[in-house]
mmCIF file of all heavy atoms in Angstrom:
data_model
loop_
_atom_site.group_PDB
_atom_site.id
_atom_site.type_symbol
_atom_site.label_atom_id
_atom_site.label_comp_id
_atom_site.label_asym_id
_atom_site.label_seq_id
_atom_site.Cartn_x
_atom_site.Cartn_y
_atom_site.Cartn_z
ATOM 1 N N ALA A 124 -47.176 -67.035 -102.223
ATOM 2 C CA ALA A 124 -46.945 -65.609 -102.030
ATOM 3 C C ALA A 124 -47.191 -64.846 -103.326
ATOM 4 O O ALA A 124 -47.747 -63.743 -103.320
ATOM 5 C CB ALA A 124 -45.522 -65.368 -101.531
ATOM 6 N N SER A 184 -80.770 -66.724 -100.193
ATOM 7 C CA SER A 184 -81.759 -66.182 -101.134
ATOM 8 C C SER A 184 -82.818 -65.394 -100.375
ATOM 9 O O SER A 184 -83.391 -65.884 -99.394
ATOM 10 C CB SER A 184 -82.432 -67.316 -101.915
ATOM 11 O OG SER A 184 -81.478 -68.036 -102.670
ATOM 12 N N PHE A 200 -53.418 -69.060 -96.818
ATOM 13 C CA PHE A 200 -52.743 -68.128 -95.919
ATOM 14 C C PHE A 200 -51.903 -68.852 -94.871
ATOM 15 O O PHE A 200 -50.854 -68.350 -94.462
ATOM 16 C CB PHE A 200 -53.769 -67.202 -95.248
ATOM 17 C CG PHE A 200 -54.227 -66.083 -96.133
ATOM 18 C CD1 PHE A 200 -55.220 -66.290 -97.076
ATOM 19 C CD2 PHE A 200 -53.653 -64.831 -96.059
ATOM 20 C CE1 PHE A 200 -55.646 -65.276 -97.908
ATOM 21 C CE2 PHE A 200 -54.053 -63.801 -96.883
ATOM 22 C CZ PHE A 200 -55.059 -64.023 -97.817
ATOM 23 N N ILE A 208 -43.228 -63.829 -97.683
ATOM 24 C CA ILE A 208 -43.718 -62.502 -98.062
ATOM 25 C C ILE A 208 -42.550 -61.531 -98.208
ATOM 26 O O ILE A 208 -42.474 -60.756 -99.166
ATOM 27 C CB ILE A 208 -44.727 -61.989 -97.022
ATOM 28 C CG1 ILE A 208 -45.977 -62.877 -97.042
ATOM 29 C CG2 ILE A 208 -45.097 -60.533 -97.282
ATOM 30 C CD1 ILE A 208 -47.013 -62.514 -96.007
ATOM 31 N N LYS A 219 -44.122 -52.717 -109.359
ATOM 32 C CA LYS A 219 -44.928 -53.558 -108.470
ATOM 33 C C LYS A 219 -44.735 -53.152 -107.017
ATOM 34 O O LYS A 219 -45.693 -53.133 -106.238
ATOM 35 C CB LYS A 219 -44.566 -55.028 -108.662
ATOM 36 C CG LYS A 219 -45.580 -55.975 -108.019
ATOM 37 C CD LYS A 219 -45.453 -57.385 -108.564
ATOM 38 C CE LYS A 219 -46.588 -58.262 -108.047
ATOM 39 N NZ LYS A 219 -46.530 -59.627 -108.599
ATOM 40 N N VAL A 242 -64.727 -47.865 -82.349
ATOM 41 C CA VAL A 242 -64.456 -47.365 -80.998
ATOM 42 C C VAL A 242 -65.460 -46.277 -80.632
ATOM 43 O O VAL A 242 -65.991 -46.232 -79.518
ATOM 44 C CB VAL A 242 -63.015 -46.821 -80.902
ATOM 45 C CG1 VAL A 242 -62.801 -46.102 -79.572
ATOM 46 C CG2 VAL A 242 -62.005 -47.949 -81.065
ATOM 47 N N LEU A 244 -68.459 -45.940 -81.537
ATOM 48 C CA LEU A 244 -69.795 -46.499 -81.296
ATOM 49 C C LEU A 244 -69.803 -47.512 -80.156
ATOM 50 O O LEU A 244 -70.827 -48.147 -79.904
ATOM 51 C CB LEU A 244 -70.313 -47.169 -82.576
ATOM 52 C CG LEU A 244 -70.507 -46.249 -83.790
ATOM 53 C CD1 LEU A 244 -70.895 -47.073 -85.020
ATOM 54 C CD2 LEU A 244 -71.556 -45.184 -83.501
ATOM 55 N N LEU A 250 -66.145 -50.870 -73.943
ATOM 56 C CA LEU A 250 -65.094 -50.060 -73.330
ATOM 57 C C LEU A 250 -64.452 -50.788 -72.154
ATOM 58 O O LEU A 250 -63.249 -50.661 -71.921
ATOM 59 C CB LEU A 250 -65.667 -48.716 -72.892
ATOM 60 C CG LEU A 250 -66.054 -47.773 -74.045
ATOM 61 C CD1 LEU A 250 -66.774 -46.548 -73.507
ATOM 62 C CD2 LEU A 250 -64.817 -47.370 -74.839
ATOM 63 N N LYS A 252 -64.017 -53.938 -72.018
ATOM 64 C CA LYS A 252 -63.108 -54.903 -72.636
ATOM 65 C C LYS A 252 -61.815 -54.202 -73.074
ATOM 66 O O LYS A 252 -60.722 -54.753 -72.917
ATOM 67 C CB LYS A 252 -63.773 -55.559 -73.835
ATOM 68 C CG LYS A 252 -64.909 -56.504 -73.465
ATOM 69 C CD LYS A 252 -65.569 -57.095 -74.711
ATOM 70 C CE LYS A 252 -66.729 -57.993 -74.340
ATOM 71 N NZ LYS A 252 -67.424 -58.518 -75.548
ATOM 72 N N ARG A 258 -54.890 -53.214 -69.668
ATOM 73 C CA ARG A 258 -54.267 -53.722 -68.445
ATOM 74 C C ARG A 258 -53.426 -54.964 -68.706
ATOM 75 O O ARG A 258 -52.422 -55.207 -68.028
ATOM 76 C CB ARG A 258 -55.341 -54.016 -67.403
ATOM 77 C CG ARG A 258 -55.993 -52.765 -66.809
ATOM 78 C CD ARG A 258 -57.181 -53.113 -65.941
ATOM 79 N NE ARG A 258 -57.758 -51.914 -65.317
ATOM 80 C CZ ARG A 258 -58.956 -51.877 -64.734
ATOM 81 N NH1 ARG A 258 -59.697 -52.988 -64.693
ATOM 82 N NH2 ARG A 258 -59.404 -50.764 -64.195
ATOM 83 N N LEU A 300 -56.021 -57.796 -84.439
ATOM 84 C CA LEU A 300 -55.497 -57.297 -85.703
ATOM 85 C C LEU A 300 -54.197 -56.553 -85.420
ATOM 86 O O LEU A 300 -54.182 -55.567 -84.668
ATOM 87 C CB LEU A 300 -56.501 -56.347 -86.373
ATOM 88 C CG LEU A 300 -56.022 -55.685 -87.670
ATOM 89 C CD1 LEU A 300 -55.808 -56.745 -88.753
ATOM 90 C CD2 LEU A 300 -57.028 -54.646 -88.156
ATOM 91 N N LEU A 301 -53.099 -57.040 -85.975
ATOM 92 C CA LEU A 301 -51.798 -56.407 -85.801
ATOM 93 C C LEU A 301 -51.422 -55.752 -87.133
ATOM 94 O O LEU A 301 -51.131 -56.435 -88.101
ATOM 95 C CB LEU A 301 -50.744 -57.435 -85.400
ATOM 96 C CG LEU A 301 -49.323 -56.925 -85.161
ATOM 97 C CD1 LEU A 301 -49.306 -55.893 -84.034
ATOM 98 C CD2 LEU A 301 -48.379 -58.063 -84.838
ATOM 99 N N VAL A 304 -46.795 -50.505 -89.595
ATOM 100 C CA VAL A 304 -46.227 -49.698 -90.679
ATOM 101 C C VAL A 304 -44.915 -49.112 -90.197
ATOM 102 O O VAL A 304 -44.888 -48.300 -89.279
ATOM 103 C CB VAL A 304 -47.180 -48.559 -91.101
ATOM 104 C CG1 VAL A 304 -46.546 -47.726 -92.206
ATOM 105 C CG2 VAL A 304 -48.528 -49.116 -91.545
ATOM 106 N N PRO A 307 -39.876 -45.348 -94.125
ATOM 107 C CA PRO A 307 -38.812 -44.322 -94.121
ATOM 108 C C PRO A 307 -39.362 -42.948 -94.475
ATOM 109 O O PRO A 307 -40.244 -42.822 -95.329
ATOM 110 C CB PRO A 307 -37.848 -44.822 -95.215
ATOM 111 C CG PRO A 307 -38.704 -45.623 -96.138
ATOM 112 C CD PRO A 307 -39.736 -46.281 -95.266
#
Side-chain angles (χ1 to χ4, degrees):
S184 299
F200 281 82
I208 294 177
K219 193 163 187 178
V242 171
L244 298 175
L250 290 173
K252 290 178 182 177
R258 289 172 177 166
L300 176 65
L301 181 60
V304 179

